[in-house]
């Protein structure tokens, strides 16, 4: 608490008399002596005849501390620290006798600086105290110092006469502060007190989830999140910048633990299929943040917020989600303004499409108003377009389907929680051997249902998605009330299904996943006359209440609202009712709405053969890739179908298979694992088609690893570098050793890097034929790889990234044939001179703290640098004897040196100048003195000043312009580079523009475009 706030507990009438006792009584007069009276002579516990001993000072301190504890309101620190705080305050008050200043100097210092001096003289006083106690001690010290200075101004006649105005103002200020603080406690204190209640509430509120099926018998219906939570994986894409002169790197898929999604990015859009664990992840993040205390979490389900109409401002966050705690006024805004918030917005796909743009505007307004916080938005994959929030800095991640190891972990945890170990081994065997069953176990929801069905049926499991849902519904609807005193309403399974599917269909039609209880009661009331077994069980409210309690499919997420425990059941039952009622036109009419995809699939499963044929023809009639693939996905559920219709669907899908582009491959993968059975082998495919097939199979590896591996294995002898790169890039989706044996060890290694990012991958190096090109990423990657590489002399090129454990570059000399080396973000690496023993000809460095020793690498022909070089010119930092042919300098590389001394390397043929460089006349003069320079790379950022005094460079025959947006003025280049015969235009990512003006500028050159 601040001194002013402390004043609310310690009034001036109490402090002033205590402070007065610390000093000797002054005599009359103005105090105009020939030498000032120091504080050491003024305190009453020093001098030849002290009037006050240390024990008395301790008692004075005790009175100050005791008065604070005895006053109304929250104690400023735990009472059991009273004695320790009193001792610490005594030490600080005694330190007044050590200050070598007079009273006038003390007044000039002010009470805060005087208190700071006392703190610095007693550093050990706070040892062992809690944070609250230390805060109180600092505050009471400042409060005492404020009164000490007031005492000085009253004591000295001289000071009173010369500083009368200051004295009156200070006394008036103290009185006003006393009065103000007595009325208004400090907001921070209220905020802290509230958060001490709110964070445990959040942790407890979200720390329990339902494990489907466990609560069928005499077991709890909710389990601790720690028991049930399974950390799934999320994937995203990452662009890898190529070194100058190299072909562009392909888009790279990165993998990370889903619960670490917000550690590297403050804004994340997380996509995941129904049942994939999005909401559970939101709960986990909220609980973790609440327990750690580093962020204040807000869990905001959009389906609940949208029902209220206007989306809430921060002040209404807690009210909107039914939190019973009332925060201090302005608390939420203060949290977000300080950048301490973790805002978890769940279920974008669970609100109508018309509301999604409104939700985006609301979210972006919050982000702009409160920067510095962390934001997570969850959605089904197809609810919004891929770049829906990209412009606002959101990184898109996707929850991947569960791998075999994830399924195994889930099954074991489920059976441990359910106390049913006797069924665990049997189910795991079934999941490994029954392909159809394994295909269904792709997310926590379905895994939970399979586990529950397996236990409930004593080891029997159905096959097929519809049969599984039918069995799951029978299982869930068979449960009975366990709570005593509940009104008994006997609803049979069919009666429950009839009512549930009507509720589900109403939600499907509205595009929502939540409805008012009043609306639900109205639907039940209209249905009761036709549901004989339910008609005599009571009114609609009674029957609905029983349905919620007994069905296991409905829940009450908030007061006055109702929804299904999962969207999957809503879609399944809604489709069942639509088919029964003959609403096939309605279903087909919504085929363009991504929220209806599962409804359509389940409608095909429920429909009769003729109805299925009609639905599939309607899908094909739209003639769009997505609906064609949806029709293809529906075939999985069509047990009986006109062969002509099936053939038509497969033929139309054949136009999409094989996919010709990466985008086509991604769209194709959306149809699900069924696609794997239709993907062709490499025979007769173009390189682009072969690449598309491997991309599709890679994307489906998590859902059907055995089928995906079977497809990818066919391409292991393919010669195309793009295909081979894809095969290497998908390694992380499979068991490291199995994939290495089945695919990687068979690949042609020409120009192909093997990228190792995990411990398991590095360990497999010992079991494969040697690789000459290695890409090692992550902590400890170099030291681990050295231990596993059987023939280190085979390695000719090595890329190392993000390895903080690489400290001594001399470790790399084990690779005796190393010719090319790239180091990225290896901040601890030292000792470039140690590489001089290697036949190193190419070196690229980015983000390495120490460049000392670079001058000793005389064998280099290629050098790429992006960080500031030491010295006043290039000859101070680069190896003088190196026969450089290629040099790339980017970002801050020449901030200190400029291009001074560049002409020393007369062997330079290729010069690449990266972004953010500033070139003057002297720099261009150095370039002009390079006799062999034939290729010049220029970044678009250099054109902002017209390239300055660019001289005529007749020897340059090849010009590469990088990161172009199409608006740069390059008109000066033709006259300054008259010998150019090749021009390559590298666009900025996503930029597309007319290249005709460039071709006109260089009529004698071949102009090509490299689109990024």
């Amino acid at each position: 608490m601040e001194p002013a706030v402390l004043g609310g507990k310690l009034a001036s009438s109490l402090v002033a008399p205590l402070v007065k006792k610390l000093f000797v009584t002054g005599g009359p007069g103005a105090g105009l002596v020939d030498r000032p009276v120091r504080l050491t002579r003024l305190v009453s516990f020093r001098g030849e005849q002290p009037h006050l001993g240390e024990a008395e000072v301790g008692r004075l301190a005790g009175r100050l501390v005791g008065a604070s504890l005895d006053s109304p309101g929250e104690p400023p620190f735990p009472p059991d620290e009273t004695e320790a705080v009193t001792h610490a305050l005594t030490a600080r008050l005694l330190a007044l006798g050590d200050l070598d200043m007079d009273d006038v100097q003390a007044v000039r210092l002010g009470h805060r600086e005087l208190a700071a001096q006392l703190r610095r003289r007693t550093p050990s006083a706070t040892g062992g105290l809690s944070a609250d106690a230390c805060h109180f001690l600092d505050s009471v010290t400042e409060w005492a110092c404020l009164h000490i200075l007031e005492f000085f101004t009253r004591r000295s006649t001289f000071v009173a006469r010369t500083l009368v105005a200051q004295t009156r103002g200070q006394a008036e200020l103290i009185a006003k502060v006393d009065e103000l603080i007595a009325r208004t406690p400090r907001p921070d204190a209220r905020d802290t007190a509230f958060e001490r209640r709110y964070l445990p509430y959040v942790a407890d509120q979200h720390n329990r989830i339902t494990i489907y099926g466990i609560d069928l018998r005499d077991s709890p219906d909710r389990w601790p999140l720690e028991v049930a939570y399974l950390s799934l994986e999320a994937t995203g894409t990452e662009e890898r910048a190529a070194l100058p002169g190299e072909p562009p790197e392909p888009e790279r898929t990165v993998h990370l633990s889903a619960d670490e999604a917000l550690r590297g990015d403050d804004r994340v859009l997380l996509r995941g299929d129904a049942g994939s664990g999005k909401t559970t992840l939101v709960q986990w993040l909220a609980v973790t943040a609440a327990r750690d205390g580093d962020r204040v979490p807000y869990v905001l389900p959009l389906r609940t917020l949208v029902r209220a109409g206007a989306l809430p401002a921060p002040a209404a966050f807690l009210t909107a989600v039914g939190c019973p705690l009332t925060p201090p006024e302005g608390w939420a805004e203060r949290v977000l303004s300080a950048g301490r918030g973790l805002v978890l917005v769940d279920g974008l796909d669970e609100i109508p499409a018309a509301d999604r743009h409104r939700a985006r505007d609301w979210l972006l307004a919050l982000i702009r108003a409160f920067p510095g916080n962390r934001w997570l938005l969850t959605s089904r994959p197809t609810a919004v377009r891929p770049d829906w929030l990209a412009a606002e800095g959101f990184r898109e991640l996707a929850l991947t389907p569960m791998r075999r190891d994830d399924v195994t972990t889930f099954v074991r945890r489920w059976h441990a929680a359910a106390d049913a170990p006797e069924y665990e081994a049997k189910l795991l065997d079934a999941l490994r051997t029954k392909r159809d069953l394994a295909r269904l176990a792709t997310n926590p929801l379905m895994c939970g249902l399979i586990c529950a069905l397996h236990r409930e049926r004593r080891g029997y499991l159905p096959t097929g998605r519809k049969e599984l849902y039918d069995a799951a519904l029978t299982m869930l609807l068979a449960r009975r009330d366990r709570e005593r005193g509940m009104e008994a309403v006997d609803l049979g399974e069919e009666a429950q299904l009839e009512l549930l599917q009507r509720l589900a269909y109403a939600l499907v039609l509205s595009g929502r996943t939540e409805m008012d209880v009043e609306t639900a009661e109205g639907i039940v009331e209209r249905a009761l006359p036709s549901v004989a077994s339910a008609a005599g069980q009571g009114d609609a409210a009674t029957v609905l209440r029983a349905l919620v309690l007994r069905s296991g499919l409905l829940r009450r997420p908030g007061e006055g609202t109702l929804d299904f425990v999962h969207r999957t059941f809503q879609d399944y039952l809604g489709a069942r009712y639509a088919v029964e009622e003959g609403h096939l036109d309605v279903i087909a009419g919504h085929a363009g709405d991504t929220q209806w995809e599962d409804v359509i699939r389940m409608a095909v499963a429920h429909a009769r053969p003729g109805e299925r044929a009609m639905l599939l023809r309607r899908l094909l009639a739209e003639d769009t890739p997505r609906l064609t693939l949806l029709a293809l996905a529906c075939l999985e559920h069509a047990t009986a179908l006109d062969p002509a219709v099936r053939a038509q669907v497969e033929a139309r899908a054949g136009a999409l298979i094989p996919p010709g582009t990466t985008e086509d491959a991604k769209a194709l993968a959306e149809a699900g694992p069924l696609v794997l059975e239709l993907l062709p082998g490499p025979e007769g495919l173009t390189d682009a088609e072969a690449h598309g097939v491997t991309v599709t199979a890679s994307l489906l590896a998590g859902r059907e690893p055995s089928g995906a591996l079977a497809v990818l294995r066919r391409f292991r002898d393919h010669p195309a570098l793009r295909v081979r790169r894809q095969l290497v890039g998908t390694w992380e989706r499979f068991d490291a050793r199995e994939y290495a044996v089945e695919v990687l060890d068979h690949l042609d290694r020409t120009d192909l890097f093997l990228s190792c990012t995990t411990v398991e991958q590095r360990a497999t190096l010992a079991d494969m034929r040697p690789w000459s090109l290695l890409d090692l990423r992550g902590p400890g990657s170099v030291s681990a790889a050295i231990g596993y590489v059987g023939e280190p002399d085979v390695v000719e090129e090595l890329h190392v990234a993000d390895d903080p454990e690489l400290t001594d570059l001399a470790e790399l000399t084990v690779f005796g044939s190393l010719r090319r080396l790239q180091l990225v973000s290896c901040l601890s690496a030292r000792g470039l001179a140690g590489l001089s023993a290697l036949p190193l000809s190419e070196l690229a460095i980015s983000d390495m703290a120490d460049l000392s020793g670079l001058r000793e690498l005389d064998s280099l022909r290629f050098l790429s640098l992006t960080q500031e070089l030491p010295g006043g010119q290039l000859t101070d930092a680069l190896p003088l004897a190196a026969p450089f042919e290629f040099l790339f300098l980017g970002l801050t590389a020449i901030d200190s040196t400029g291009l001074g001394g560049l002409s020393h390397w007369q062997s330079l043929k290729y010069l690449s100048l990266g972004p953010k460089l500033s070139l003057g006349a002297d720099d261009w003069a150095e370039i002009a003195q390079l006799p062999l320079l034939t290729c010049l790379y220029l970044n678009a950022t250099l054109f902002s000043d017209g390239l300055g005094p660019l001289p005529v460079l007749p020897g340059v025959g090849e010009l590469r312009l990088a990161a172009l947006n199409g608006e740069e003025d390059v008109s000066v280049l033709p006259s300054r580079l008259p010998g150019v015969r090749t021009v390559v235009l590298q666009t900025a990512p996503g930029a597309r523009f007319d290249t005709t003006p460039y071709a006109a500028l260089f009529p004698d050159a071949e102009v090509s475009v490299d689109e990024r």
Side-chain angles (χ1 to χ4, degrees), residues 34-113:
D34 55 354
R35 66 185 174 90
V37 178
R38 320 304 286 184
L39 259 60
T40 54
R41 297 180 59 191
L42 289 177
V43 295
S44 60
F45 44 87
R46 286 287 184 89
E48 297 178 358
Q49 294 182 336
H51 301 286
L52 201 64
E54 292 187 6
E56 287 76 15
V57 175
R59 283 194 287 273
L60 291 178
R63 292 180 61 185
L64 286 173
V65 173
S68 177
L69 288 173
D70 293 339
S71 60
E74 181 185 1
F77 60 88
D80 59 357
E81 294 187 273
T82 302
E83 184 177 353
V85 172
T86 301
H87 287 317
L89 180 58
T90 301
R92 287 192 176 176
L93 293 177
L94 290 172
L96 286 166
D98 299 325
L99 297 177
D100 188 22
M101 65 179 71
D102 59 29
D103 51 353
V104 175
Q105 291 171 329
V107 171
R108 287 175 181 170
L109 274 180
H111 70 281
R112 288 190 175 88
E113 181 55 29

Side-chain angles (χ1 to χ4, degrees), residues 496-567:
Q496 292 183 70
L497 276 174
E498 182 65 30
L499 297 175
L500 287 168
Q501 64 186 22
R502 294 190 185 212
L503 293 171
Y505 189 54
L507 284 170
V508 168
L509 287 175
S510 69
R512 300 181 183 274
T513 59
E514 199 173 79
M515 69 169 59
D516 294 332
V517 169
E518 292 182 2
T519 302
E521 288 176 354
I523 293 173
V524 171
E525 184 175 7
R526 290 189 293 274
L528 283 179
S530 59
V531 183
S533 61
Q537 302 299 323
D539 60 12
T542 301
V543 173
L544 180 62
R545 183 165 59 250
L547 203 59
V548 172
L549 291 174
R550 300 179 63 186
S551 71
L553 292 175
L554 292 178
R555 64 178 182 179
R556 297 281 294 271
E559 187 64 30
T561 61
L562 180 142
D563 69 357
F564 281 84
V565 294
H566 201 277
R567 175 72 174 269

Side-chain angles (χ1 to χ4, degrees), residues 452-757:
L453 282 168
H454 185 260
R455 186 192 68 170
E456 194 73 6
R457 295 190 169 198
R458 299 182 181 274
Y460 165 77
L461 281 171
T463 57
R465 186 173 174 184
K466 178 180 180 297
E467 188 178 349
L468 177 64
Y469 281 142
D470 286 341
L473 288 172
T474 298
M475 175 188 67
L476 293 171
L477 296 179
R479 69 186 252 184
R480 293 293 183 265
D481 294 330
R482 295 183 298 273
E483 299 81 6
R484 295 189 178 184
M486 300 296 295
E487 181 179 0
V489 176
D490 185 15
L491 291 176
E493 182 180 336
E494 288 300 322
Q496 292 183 70
L497 276 174
E498 182 65 30
L499 297 175
L500 287 168
Q501 64 186 22
R502 294 190 185 212
L503 293 171
Y505 189 54
L507 284 170
V508 168
L509 287 175
S510 69
R512 300 181 183 274
T513 59
E514 199 173 79
M515 69 169 59
D516 294 332
V517 169
E518 292 182 2
T519 302
E521 288 176 354
I523 293 173
V524 171
E525 184 175 7
R526 290 189 293 274
L528 283 179
S530 59
V531 183
S533 61
Q537 302 299 323
D539 60 12
T542 301
V543 173
L544 180 62
R545 183 165 59 250
L547 203 59
V548 172
L549 291 174
R550 300 179 63 186
S551 71
L553 292 175
L554 292 178
R555 64 178 182 179
R556 297 281 294 271
E559 187 64 30
T561 61
L562 180 142
D563 69 357
F564 281 84
V565 294
H566 201 277
R567 175 72 174 269
T568 302
F569 291 118
Q570 174 184 308
D571 292 344
Y572 178 84
L573 290 169
R576 185 176 189 264
Y577 184 77
V579 170
E580 288 182 358
E581 294 298 309
H583 294 175
L584 300 181
D585 286 338
V586 175
I587 293 175
H590 285 84
D593 188 341
T594 57
Q595 288 198 93
W596 283 66
E597 285 184 355
D598 275 354
V599 177
I600 292 172
R601 293 184 188 188
M602 290 297 95
V604 169
H606 287 295
R608 292 177 288 273
E611 295 168 333
R612 289 172 182 158
M614 186 277 288
L615 279 174
L616 293 175
R617 288 193 183 101
R618 287 283 298 270
L619 293 178
L620 295 179
E622 297 295 328
D623 197 22
T624 65
R626 189 183 71 82
L627 294 185
T628 298
L629 293 174
L630 178 59
L632 184 64
C634 287
L635 292 183
E636 177 185 2
H637 311 293
T639 53
L641 180 65
D642 183 347
V645 175
R646 185 183 295 273
Q648 184 181 4
V649 171
E650 292 176 348
R652 288 282 295 275
L656 303 174
I657 301 175
T661 66
T662 299
E663 289 71 24
D664 292 342
K666 292 178 179 179
L668 185 59
E670 292 294 325
L674 178 64
V675 173
L676 292 171
E677 300 175 9
L678 305 175
L679 291 176
E683 298 79 11
L685 300 184
T686 66
D687 288 352
E689 290 172 339
H691 177 257
V693 170
T694 57
V695 169
T696 301
S698 298
L699 292 172
L700 292 169
R703 300 174 65 181
E704 183 56 68
S706 58
L709 182 59
V711 173
L712 296 175
R713 189 188 294 114
R714 303 176 201 156
F715 290 82
R716 64 190 186 185
D717 296 322
H718 202 283
L721 179 60
R722 190 180 182 191
V723 174
R724 290 183 285 130
R725 281 179 171 172
Q726 179 63 37
L727 293 176
V728 170
T730 194
W731 188 9
E732 293 182 352
R733 297 172 184 260
F734 297 89
D735 175 79
R737 189 170 302 280
E738 180 184 14
Y739 193 78
V741 171
E742 295 291 335
V743 178
L744 297 180
D745 207 24
H746 299 267
L747 296 177
D748 176 5
R749 283 140 164 79
T750 305
D751 298 326
L752 183 64
F753 275 90
L754 180 69
S755 181
C756 299
T757 60

